[in-house]
Amino acid sequence: MRNANDPLLKSWVKVPEDSDFPIQNLPFGIFKTNELNPRAGIPVGDYILDLEVLLEHSFFNSLKTDVKNTFNQPFLNPLLAKGRLALSEVRNRISELLDINNSELQNRPDLIEKVLISKNRIQELKPIDSKNYTDFYSSEQHARNVGSMFRDPDNALLPNWKSLPVAYHGRTSSIVGTNVPIKRPKGQFKSKDGSIGFGLSQKLDFEFEMAFITCSNTELGEPIDTNLAENHIAGLLMFNDWSARDIQAWEYQPLGPFLGKNFASSISPWLVTLDALEPFRIEGPKQKTEPLDYLKFQKPSHFDVQLEVILRSGSSETLITKGNYKNLYWNICQQLAHHTVNGCNIQVGDIYASGTISGKEPDSYGSMLELSWNGEKPVVLNDGSERTFLEDGDEIIFKAYAEQEGIRIGFGELRNRAISN
């Protein structure tokens, strides 16, 4: 079987050295141009591969899975519904076609012009149509930071935190893609003098999370075993769980996030498959509290993925935090197993966000809440200005990538600008 992750593979399509999208990656997404309706594509270097054109010219006839009517669609859901093995088949076939030693497509200059579209001509769209979104709370350092701020530094974690992957159900109608402006929300908040006010949030915040996307449907009453969970997971993308901290702090008594969260979340455009991330699979933090049997797992299910957040103010950009996805306490298999252990069914295109990812060092915290320690320690930007939370006009840029042996498996960028409501 072809090893699409082989670091020695070379593509006949020119790929810049620092590109997120070498032949070893080949993530899936949705794009459009002035001439083309939304459709599925795969980025390679500075180009987007149009999967529908390849289908029309019979390049997928050798696949075991029938992928007709899955590419010329506004979302990836029809393709995801074919299952993880189908995604692997398509990815392997594209890897084969792009191989420098393969002439099937390389020697068709008339077709290459239709298949390969410059990224400068395309608009990246939201890749998933999700009816279900769950947000976990799986970074221990983030939980400790928040617990220290608002409860007791000596007992920052709640008693259940190391027993189960804490989570809440979110809102899918307000999930947007990259380059979509985020309007500052309104709501109630408690002022320093104890009075209750109403107005625009003054503590708008980002949260750097990663999310996995499911590619199967299950029936009610069917839990998913940790050791089978990855069969239901298509891949990962970046997730920004926008937050209004002042609204959240007042309403979060005692129920979970509501108006402080449901006004917006955003997802990155390219779904990186678990297959592409296989070389970066690692052991996660040691779980000193032994998990219950249904949360035990056999193989490592953490991934070494670097995370970066850039704050752009005017023409100035500042790298304000740099973390790693491996810092999660609970892995994706444990998260999905816990989510379904009560019989909850899953659906194709479900979004399962990790929760804010923070490392132990202050410059690896995954939110402004932590970076500024709830406003006590302003973050100094490269232009000399300071931030405790986000101001109108600030653009938050997420980047994520795994890297080894000179191969960078990246997620592209997730960009959103805060604007006044």
Side-chain angles (χ1 to χ4, degrees), residues 15-27 43-47 119 124 238 268-270 272 276-277 280 306 308 398-403 406-414:
V15 177
E17 287 187 8
D18 61 348
S19 174
D20 275 356
F21 306 118
I23 191 174
Q24 291 83 0
N25 192 352
L26 305 180
V44 54
D46 293 332
Y47 296 91
K119 69 177 184 181
E124 298 170 325
M238 295 183 288
S268 56
W270 304 110
V272 177
L277 291 170
F280 307 95
Q306 297 287 334
E308 296 180 357
F398 283 5
K399 297 183 179 183
Y401 57 90
E403 200 165 22
I407 302 299
R408 178 184 175 112
I409 304 300
F411 289 73
E413 292 184 344
L414 173 59

Coordinates of all heavy atoms in Angstrom, one line a residue, residues 15-27 43-47 119 124 238 268-270 272 276-277 280 306 308 398-403 406-414:
V15 N 6.3 23.2 -4.6 CA 5.8 23.5 -3.3 C 6.9 24.3 -2.5 O 8.0 23.8 -2.4 CB 5.5 22.2 -2.5 CG1 5.0 22.5 -1.1 CG2 4.4 21.4 -3.2
P16 N 6.6 25.5 -2.1 CA 7.6 26.3 -1.3 C 8.0 25.5 -0.1 O 7.2 24.8 0.5 CB 6.8 27.6 -1.0 CG 5.8 27.7 -2.0 CD 5.4 26.3 -2.4
E17 N 9.3 25.8 0.3 CA 9.8 25.0 1.5 C 9.0 25.2 2.8 O 8.9 24.4 3.6 CB 11.3 25.5 1.7 CG 12.2 24.9 0.7 CD 13.7 25.2 1.0 OE1 13.9 25.7 2.1 OE2 14.5 25.0 0.2
D18 N 8.5 26.4 2.9 CA 7.7 26.7 4.2 C 6.2 26.5 4.0 O 5.4 26.9 4.9 CB 8.0 28.2 4.6 CG 7.5 29.2 3.6 OD1 7.2 28.8 2.4 OD2 7.5 30.4 3.9
S19 N 5.8 25.8 3.0 CA 4.4 25.6 2.8 C 3.8 24.7 3.8 O 4.4 23.7 4.2 CB 4.2 25.1 1.3 OG 2.8 24.7 1.1
D20 N 2.5 25.0 4.2 CA 1.7 24.1 5.0 C 1.2 22.9 4.2 O 0.8 21.9 4.8 CB 0.5 24.8 5.5 CG 0.8 25.7 6.8 OD1 1.9 25.6 7.3 OD2 -0.1 26.3 7.3
F21 N 1.3 22.9 2.9 CA 0.6 21.9 2.1 C 1.6 21.2 1.1 O 1.4 21.3 -0.1 CB -0.5 22.6 1.3 CG -1.4 23.4 2.2 CD1 -1.6 24.8 2.1 CD2 -2.1 22.8 3.2 CE1 -2.4 25.5 2.9 CE2 -3.0 23.5 4.1 CZ -3.1 24.8 3.9
P22 N 2.5 20.4 1.7 CA 3.3 19.5 0.8 C 2.5 18.3 0.4 O 1.3 18.1 0.8 CB 4.4 19.1 1.7 CG 3.8 19.1 3.1 CD 2.8 20.2 3.1
I23 N 3.0 17.5 -0.5 CA 2.3 16.3 -0.9 C 2.0 15.3 0.2 O 1.1 14.5 0.1 CB 3.2 15.6 -2.0 CG1 2.3 14.5 -2.7 CG2 4.5 15.0 -1.4 CD1 3.1 13.8 -3.9
Q24 N 2.7 15.4 1.3 CA 2.4 14.6 2.5 C 1.2 15.0 3.3 O 0.8 14.3 4.2 CB 3.7 14.5 3.4 CG 4.9 13.8 2.9 CD 5.7 14.7 1.9 OE1 5.4 15.8 1.7 NE2 6.8 14.1 1.4
N25 N 0.6 16.2 3.0 CA -0.5 16.7 3.8 C -1.8 16.3 3.1 O -2.5 15.4 3.5 CB -0.4 18.2 4.0 CG -1.4 18.7 5.1 OD1 -2.3 18.0 5.5 ND2 -1.2 20.0 5.4
L26 N -2.2 17.1 2.1 CA -3.4 16.9 1.3 C -4.7 16.9 2.1 O -5.4 15.9 2.2 CB -3.3 15.6 0.5 CG -2.0 15.4 -0.4 CD1 -2.1 14.1 -1.1 CD2 -1.9 16.6 -1.4
P27 N -5.0 18.0 2.8 CA -6.2 18.2 3.5 C -7.4 18.5 2.6 O -7.2 18.8 1.4 CB -5.9 19.3 4.5 CG -5.0 20.2 3.7 CD -4.1 19.2 2.9
P43 N -5.5 21.6 -1.1 CA -4.4 22.5 -1.4 C -3.0 21.7 -1.5 O -2.8 20.8 -0.7 CB -4.3 23.4 -0.1 CG -4.9 22.6 0.9 CD -5.9 21.6 0.3
V44 N -2.2 22.1 -2.5 CA -0.9 21.6 -2.6 C 0.0 22.8 -3.0 O -0.2 23.4 -4.0 CB -0.8 20.4 -3.6 CG1 -1.3 20.8 -4.9 CG2 0.7 20.0 -3.7
G45 N 1.0 23.1 -2.1 CA 1.7 24.3 -2.4 C 0.9 25.6 -2.4 O 0.0 25.8 -1.6
D46 N 1.0 26.3 -3.5 CA 0.2 27.5 -3.7 C -1.0 27.4 -4.6 O -1.5 28.3 -5.2 CB 1.1 28.7 -4.3 CG 2.2 29.1 -3.3 OD1 1.9 29.0 -2.0 OD2 3.3 29.6 -3.7
Y47 N -1.4 26.1 -4.7 CA -2.5 25.8 -5.6 C -3.6 25.0 -4.9 O -3.3 24.4 -3.8 CB -2.1 25.0 -6.8 CG -1.1 25.7 -7.7 CD1 0.3 25.6 -7.5 CD2 -1.6 26.4 -8.8 CE1 1.2 26.3 -8.3 CE2 -0.7 27.1 -9.6 CZ 0.7 27.0 -9.4 OH 1.6 27.7 -10.2
K119 N -4.1 29.8 -5.5 CA -4.8 30.2 -4.3 C -5.2 31.6 -4.3 O -6.1 32.0 -3.5 CB -4.0 29.8 -3.0 CG -2.7 30.7 -2.9 CD -2.0 30.3 -1.6 CE -0.8 31.2 -1.3 NZ -0.1 30.8 0.0
E124 N -11.6 30.8 0.4 CA -11.8 29.7 1.3 C -13.1 29.8 2.0 O -13.4 30.8 2.6 CB -10.6 29.6 2.3 CG -9.2 29.5 1.7 CD -8.1 29.7 2.6 OE1 -8.3 30.6 3.5 OE2 -7.1 29.0 2.5
M238 N -8.6 23.9 13.0 CA -8.5 24.9 14.1 C -9.8 25.5 14.5 O -10.7 25.6 13.6 CB -7.5 26.1 13.7 CG -6.1 25.6 13.4 SD -5.0 27.0 13.0 CE -5.5 27.4 11.3
S268 N -11.3 26.8 10.8 CA -10.4 27.0 9.7 C -10.8 26.2 8.5 O -11.7 25.3 8.6 CB -9.0 26.5 10.1 OG -9.0 25.2 10.6
P269 N -10.3 26.6 7.3 CA -10.9 26.0 6.1 C -10.4 24.6 5.7 O -11.1 24.0 4.8 CB -10.4 27.1 5.0 CG -9.2 27.7 5.6 CD -9.4 27.7 7.1
W270 N -9.3 24.1 6.2 CA -8.8 22.9 5.7 C -8.8 21.8 6.8 O -8.2 22.0 7.8 CB -7.4 23.1 5.2 CG -7.3 24.2 4.1 CD1 -6.8 25.4 4.2 CD2 -7.9 24.1 2.8 NE1 -7.0 26.1 3.1 CE2 -7.7 25.3 2.2 CE3 -8.6 23.1 2.1 CZ2 -8.2 25.6 0.9 CZ3 -9.1 23.4 0.8 CH2 -8.8 24.6 0.2
V272 N -7.4 18.6 8.1 CA -6.2 17.8 8.0 C -6.6 16.4 8.6 O -7.1 16.3 9.7 CB -5.1 18.4 8.8 CG1 -3.9 17.5 8.8 CG2 -4.7 19.8 8.3
A276 N -2.7 12.0 7.8 CA -1.6 12.9 7.6 C -0.9 13.2 8.9 O 0.3 13.5 8.9 CB -2.1 14.2 6.9
L277 N -1.6 13.1 10.0 CA -1.0 13.4 11.3 C -0.4 12.2 12.0 O 0.2 12.4 13.0 CB -2.1 14.0 12.2 CG -2.6 15.4 11.8 CD1 -3.8 15.8 12.7 CD2 -1.5 16.5 12.0
F280 N 3.0 12.2 13.7 CA 3.1 13.1 14.8 C 2.4 12.6 16.0 O 2.2 13.4 17.0 CB 2.7 14.5 14.4 CG 3.4 15.0 13.1 CD1 2.8 14.8 11.9 CD2 4.6 15.6 13.2 CE1 3.4 15.2 10.7 CE2 5.3 16.0 12.1 CZ 4.7 15.8 10.8
Q306 N 2.2 22.3 16.7 CA 2.5 23.7 17.2 C 1.3 24.6 16.9 O 0.7 24.5 15.8 CB 3.7 24.2 16.5 CG 5.0 23.4 16.8 CD 5.5 23.6 18.2 OE1 5.3 24.6 18.8 NE2 6.2 22.6 18.7
E308 N 0.1 28.8 17.0 CA 0.5 30.2 17.1 C -0.7 31.1 17.0 O -1.6 30.8 16.2 CB 1.5 30.5 16.0 CG 2.8 29.7 16.1 CD 3.8 30.1 15.0 OE1 3.4 30.9 14.2 OE2 4.9 29.6 15.0
F398 N -4.9 32.5 13.7 CA -4.5 31.3 14.2 C -3.6 30.5 13.1 O -4.0 30.5 11.9 CB -5.6 30.4 14.5 CG -6.4 30.7 15.8 CD1 -6.0 31.8 16.5 CD2 -7.4 29.9 16.2 CE1 -6.7 32.1 17.7 CE2 -8.1 30.2 17.4 CZ -7.8 31.3 18.1
K399 N -2.5 29.9 13.6 CA -1.8 29.0 12.7 C -1.5 27.7 13.5 O -1.3 27.8 14.7 CB -0.4 29.7 12.3 CG -0.6 30.9 11.4 CD 0.7 31.4 11.0 CE 0.6 32.7 10.1 NZ 1.9 33.2 9.6
A400 N -1.4 26.6 12.8 CA -1.1 25.3 13.4 C -0.3 24.5 12.4 O -0.7 24.5 11.3 CB -2.4 24.6 13.9
Y401 N 0.7 23.8 12.9 CA 1.4 22.9 12.0 C 2.2 21.9 12.8 O 2.6 22.1 14.0 CB 2.4 23.7 11.2 CG 3.4 24.6 12.0 CD1 4.6 24.1 12.4 CD2 3.0 25.9 12.4 CE1 5.5 24.9 13.2 CE2 3.8 26.7 13.1 CZ 5.1 26.2 13.5 OH 5.9 27.0 14.3
A402 N 2.4 20.7 12.2 CA 3.3 19.7 12.8 C 4.5 19.6 11.8 O 4.4 19.7 10.6 CB 2.5 18.4 12.8
E403 N 5.7 19.4 12.4 CA 6.9 19.5 11.6 C 7.9 18.5 12.0 O 8.2 18.4 13.2 CB 7.4 20.9 11.6 CG 8.3 21.3 10.5 CD 8.6 22.8 10.4 OE1 8.4 23.5 11.5 OE2 8.9 23.3 9.4
G406 N 11.9 17.9 7.9 CA 11.8 18.9 6.9 C 10.4 19.0 6.2 O 10.1 19.7 5.3
I407 N 9.4 18.2 6.8 CA 8.0 18.2 6.3 C 7.1 18.9 7.3 O 7.1 18.6 8.5 CB 7.5 16.7 6.1 CG1 8.5 16.0 5.1 CG2 6.1 16.8 5.6 CD1 8.6 16.6 3.7
R408 N 6.4 19.9 6.7 CA 5.5 20.7 7.6 C 4.0 20.3 7.2 O 3.6 20.6 6.0 CB 5.7 22.1 7.4 CG 4.8 23.1 8.1 CD 5.2 24.5 7.7 NE 4.3 25.5 8.3 CZ 4.7 26.4 9.2 NH1 5.9 26.4 9.7 NH2 3.8 27.3 9.7
I409 N 3.3 19.7 8.1 CA 1.9 19.4 7.9 C 1.1 20.6 8.6 O 1.0 20.6 9.8 CB 1.5 18.1 8.4 CG1 2.4 17.0 7.9 CG2 0.0 17.8 8.2 CD1 2.3 16.8 6.4
G410 N 0.6 21.5 7.8 CA 0.0 22.7 8.3 C -1.5 22.7 8.1 O -2.1 22.0 7.3
F411 N -2.2 23.6 8.8 CA -3.6 23.8 8.8 C -4.0 25.1 8.1 O -5.2 25.4 8.1 CB -4.2 23.8 10.2 CG -4.1 22.5 10.9 CD1 -2.9 21.9 11.4 CD2 -5.3 21.7 11.1 CE1 -2.9 20.7 12.0 CE2 -5.3 20.5 11.7 CZ -4.0 20.0 12.2
G412 N -3.0 25.8 7.5 CA -3.4 27.1 6.9 C -3.5 28.2 8.0 O -2.9 28.2 9.0
E413 N -4.4 29.1 7.7 CA -4.7 30.2 8.7 C -6.2 30.3 8.9 O -7.0 30.0 8.1 CB -4.2 31.5 8.1 CG -2.7 31.6 8.0 CD -2.2 33.0 7.6 OE1 -3.1 33.7 7.0 OE2 -1.0 33.3 7.7
L414 N -6.5 30.7 10.1 CA -7.9 31.1 10.5 C -7.8 32.6 10.9 O -7.2 32.9 12.0 CB -8.4 30.2 11.7 CG -9.7 30.6 12.3 CD1 -10.8 30.6 11.2 CD2 -10.1 29.7 13.4

